[in-house]
Amino acid sequence: MNNLSASDHSSVVSINLFIALLCACIVIGHLLEENRWMNESITALVIGVCTGVVILLISGGKNSHLLVFSEDLFFIYLLPPIIFNAGFQVKKKQFFRNFMTIMLFGAIGTLISFIIISLGAITFFRNMNLGLAIGDYLAIGAIFAATDSVCTLQVLNQDETPLLYSLVFGEGVVNDATSVVLFNAIQNFDLSHISTSAALQLVGNFLYLFITSTVLGVVAGLLSAYIIKKLYFGRHSTDREVAIMMLMAYLSYMLAELCDLSAILTVFFCGIVMSHYTWHNVTESSRVTTKHTFATLSFVAEIFIFLYVGMDALDIEKWRVISDSPKTSVSVSSILLGLILVGRAAFVFPLSFLSNLTKKSPYEKIGFKQQVTVWWAGLMRGAVSMALAYNQFTKSGHTQRHGNAIMITSTITVVLFSTVVFGLMTKPLVRLLLPSSKQLSRMISSESVTPKSFIVPLLGNEHDPELDLDEQSVVNGQDSEANQGDRNVLRPSSLRMLLRKPTRTVHYYWRKFDDGFMRPVFGGRGFVPYVPGSPTERSGQQWQEEKH
């Protein structure tokens, strides 16, 4: 009983100290908000490392962390709110407009990076006597193909650079999902009998996981929308509305885990569907509550992860195992960083070239400076790489094998170096490559010919944030005088003529299907019947402007 009491007391002390450190990260991050170099991710990582050093000194070199890095804690509790909020807050119009490019970078690009890193690991590490098998080399490719673009996204502004933000953001989510799917596929793949049919089976399994995971997320989102629309909890309790949204989102993630699907993709698309349908079916107060609740949970989880990784980086057990071969550890870390740089460049620039060939408008094309920013955004490695490395090279967070210990410490080194060094250089690099907001206001950005920027001056205060018009029809509909800068040529009456006969595109047919079938069944903006206390269109207008 005394031992149990001492253990409980130690856990309470650790949790108290960890929460205090979280508060410190938020406060210091706020104070450094305008700093040219720092952001909250780097702040949390540095505070975590410094705390680990202090604990290491206090414990006499026996311990360096309050909490041991746990793969389950990361994937089950910390990652879901981050990915869900990413889908819930995403600007859907911009995301789906660049969907093919995002999938090209996130899926095909990750596969290219995986192949290059795996081949490089086989080439360089086989002569180092690390004792790794072919499965370990392939796992290394999946581990270090997983990017962490949080630092870059904190610097980019999706209103100033919508095309670039949607590419970096969308690729980050798809990349994480692809890396985890690849890693799991390797774990379940019989590497002793590699053949053409086995490789095709691996590709088929990969596509199956992608499609089924996406469908599960969409179904979960539609089910929540239908339940809330039909039962309308808001008549009696707004708490129930918020609770059912949060629980249905988490249920979609856990169902994907239960079915061995990609839970990241599932909860991401669940977030997109919920923001399009479910969010409009709840009361005004619930809309405000859910928006800020999901954002806050995501923010705290991100800070928690970086603090967590920083504190675990100095785990003395793993460093002690490789203490007799520091040169090997440094060599492995350097080679991995080099492979990351090469693997990233090997697909960003060629795939950007291919993507640009399909774009007619020069404003939709990815410029060289934007390509460099996309390349740089994917150089950082984070908690996903850490979690996958722990899964492959440790058992319950511990390892005594020399080769495995070197891979764990090298992963920690790469994560720390890439996040801190590359992360510190992100702000000045983005400011150097991309024009400021003042310059952007004088330039024609990627959004300049989109419906929103074209229609707002015509409609004045009666702005409809959901009003979608095919981009090409707007471009074709402008006459020469409008192209010369005469904003007074197109009147609202002219705009109505354009709206009556838009160009027949995929987007047009989707909107027709959405308005004709999906929204009447599942609710959404403009299709929720008015009852006392029910959602109104006007109540959600401000946030819709932010989202669209």
Side-chain angles (χ1 to χ4, degrees):
M1 288 295 292
N2 289 335
N3 290 337
L4 182 63
S5 178
S7 176
D8 289 343
H9 181 265
S10 176
S11 298
V12 172
V13 171
S14 297
I15 292 171
N16 271 278
L17 184 55
F18 206 92
I19 292 173
L21 289 173
L22 282 173
C23 294
C25 289
I26 294 172
V27 172
I28 295 173
H30 171 73
L31 295 175
L32 296 174
E33 182 72 26
E34 302 300 326
N35 188 276
R36 179 181 173 84
W37 304 88
M38 296 291 286
N39 58 52
E40 279 168 330
S41 303
I42 300 174
T43 302
L45 199 60
V46 170
I47 289 176
V49 172
C50 293
T51 305
V53 171
V54 172
I55 296 173
L56 197 63
L57 293 174
I58 293 174
S59 64
K62 296 179 181 179
N63 188 22
S64 66
H65 45 60
L66 300 173
L67 301 171
V68 180
F69 190 92
S70 167
E71 183 194 355
D72 289 340
L73 175 62
F74 173 71
F75 279 109
I76 302 300
Y77 300 109
L78 298 178
L79 194 59
I82 295 174
I83 303 298
F84 175 79
N85 185 65
F88 195 73
Q89 305 279 4
V90 68
K91 290 191 174 183
K92 298 186 289 295
K93 191 188 300 180
Q94 193 63 232
F95 178 82
F96 285 106
R97 180 180 296 148
N98 301 302
F99 186 73
M100 293 309 298
T101 306
I102 288 170
M103 292 303 296
L104 197 65
F105 283 178
I108 306 301
T110 303
L111 286 172
I112 294 172
S113 181
F114 159 75
I115 292 170
I116 289 175
I117 294 172
S118 296
L119 292 176
I122 293 172
T123 303
F124 292 107
F125 295 162
R126 270 188 171 175
N127 300 324
M128 293 185 177
N129 298 320
L130 298 178
L132 301 177
I134 184 67
D136 293 324
Y137 292 122
L138 294 178
I140 288 170
I143 290 167
F144 291 100
T147 66
D148 191 335
S149 52
V150 171
C151 290
T152 309
L153 288 175
Q154 288 180 346
V155 177
L156 294 176
N157 186 313
Q158 61 178 328
D159 293 319
E160 294 181 355
T161 53
L163 170 64
L164 187 59
Y165 188 95
S166 68
L167 289 178
V168 173
F169 166 82
E171 188 225 339
V173 175
V174 178
N175 167 273
D176 285 345
T178 306
S179 300
V180 174
V181 169
L182 268 175
F183 184 84
N184 292 333
I186 292 167
Q187 301 292 309
N188 301 324
F189 189 59
D190 185 7
L191 296 168
S192 60
H193 300 90
I194 300 178
S195 63
T196 305
S197 60
L200 290 174
Q201 185 180 355
L202 180 64
V203 173
N205 185 44
F206 181 80
L207 294 173
Y208 163 78
L209 288 174
F210 251 86
I211 295 170
T212 51
S213 300
T214 302
V215 170
L216 179 59
V218 171
V219 169
L222 291 176
L223 183 61
S224 69
Y226 186 79
I227 290 173
I228 290 179
K229 179 175 180 288
K230 287 298 180 182
L231 300 182
Y232 192 58
F233 298 97
R235 285 177 297 181
H236 306 295
S237 172
T238 56
D239 297 340
R240 292 172 185 164
E241 289 182 319
V242 178
I244 200 72
M245 285 185 70
M246 295 177 69
L247 292 174
M248 288 289 288
Y250 192 64
L251 179 63
S252 71
Y253 186 91
M254 296 310 298
L255 279 175
E257 286 285 337
L258 183 65
C259 300
D260 293 324
L261 302 176
S262 174
I264 294 175
L265 271 182
T266 297
V267 79
F268 177 72
F269 280 97
C270 180
I272 290 178
V273 173
M274 278 194 173
S275 70
H276 190 64
Y277 297 109
T278 314
W279 187 78
H280 294 283
N281 297 345
V282 299
T283 57
E284 181 179 354
S285 59
S286 294
R287 292 181 185 183
V288 176
T289 302
T290 51
K291 175 194 171 185
H292 292 292
T293 299
F294 294 143
T296 302
L297 289 174
S298 172
F299 172 75
V300 173
E302 280 184 11
I303 301 299
F304 190 102
I305 287 172
F306 280 100
L307 186 62
Y308 200 38
V309 169
M311 292 181 66
D312 192 68
L314 297 177
D315 184 7
I316 199 66
E317 175 191 296
K318 302 175 186 65
W319 294 101
R320 190 179 286 127
V321 174
I322 64 153
S323 59
D324 59 335
S325 54
K327 289 185 179 179
T328 304
S329 181
V330 172
S331 299
V332 170
S333 301
S334 302
I335 290 169
L336 287 171
L337 279 169
L339 291 173
I340 288 170
L341 291 167
V342 174
R344 184 77 184 163
F347 78 82
V348 168
F349 299 106
L351 293 184
S352 295
F353 174 76
L354 291 177
S355 175
N356 287 342
L357 292 178
T358 65
K359 307 292 185 182
K360 295 181 180 179
S361 170
Y363 307 115
E364 292 180 343
K365 294 184 178 182
I366 309 169
F368 180 72
K369 289 184 177 181
Q370 291 179 318
Q371 292 176 32
V372 173
T373 306
V374 172
W375 170 74
W376 185 268
L379 295 180
M380 274 74 81
R381 295 298 178 268
V384 173
S385 295
M386 287 279 289
L388 296 180
Y390 271 74
N391 180 289
Q392 180 70 21
F393 298 111
T394 69
K395 186 176 182 179
S396 302
H398 303 282
T399 182
Q400 294 299 326
R401 285 187 57 193
H402 187 260
N404 288 356
I406 283 181
M407 291 314 305
I408 288 293
T409 53
S410 297
T411 303
I412 292 170
T413 303
V414 168
V415 169
L416 287 177
F417 183 88
S418 63
T419 303
V420 175
V421 177
F422 295 158
L424 283 173
M425 297 170 64
T426 298
K427 270 190 179 180
L429 181 70
V430 169
R431 290 178 181 178
L432 177 67
L433 292 174
L434 304 177
S436 65
S437 57
K438 290 183 179 180
Q439 290 173 303
L440 278 166
S441 64
R442 303 189 198 104
M443 297 170 60
I444 301 178
S445 69
S446 58
E447 284 281 272
S448 62
V449 291
T450 60
K452 184 176 177 180
S453 59
F454 183 71
I455 294 170
V456 169
L458 299 174
L459 297 185
N461 294 330
E462 296 179 4
H463 171 222
D464 184 354
E466 281 268 336
L467 195 55
D468 282 319
L469 183 64
D470 179 67
E471 183 175 41
Q472 194 61 42
S473 69
V474 175
V475 175
N476 295 336
Q478 295 182 56
D479 56 20
S480 59
E481 292 180 336
N483 287 329
Q484 293 170 7
D486 187 354
R487 298 290 181 179
N488 297 320
V489 171
L490 284 173
R491 304 296 181 188
S493 57
S494 304
L495 178 63
R496 292 191 194 100
M497 290 174 64
L498 287 175
L499 290 175
R500 287 193 192 104
K501 295 184 179 180
T503 304
R504 265 49 172 179
T505 62
V506 173
H507 181 260
Y508 167 79
Y509 287 112
W510 157 249
R511 287 305 304 269
K512 191 173 181 180
F513 173 74
D514 191 30
D515 292 342
F517 175 73
M518 297 297 287
R519 294 194 186 195
V521 175
F522 298 104
R525 191 172 191 276
F527 284 87
V528 181
Y530 179 81
V531 295
S534 69
T536 59
E537 290 193 72
R538 185 169 51 84
S539 62
Q541 185 167 349
Q542 183 177 357
W543 191 42
Q544 279 300 320
E545 290 174 359
E546 297 174 9
K547 291 172 67 179
H548 293 279

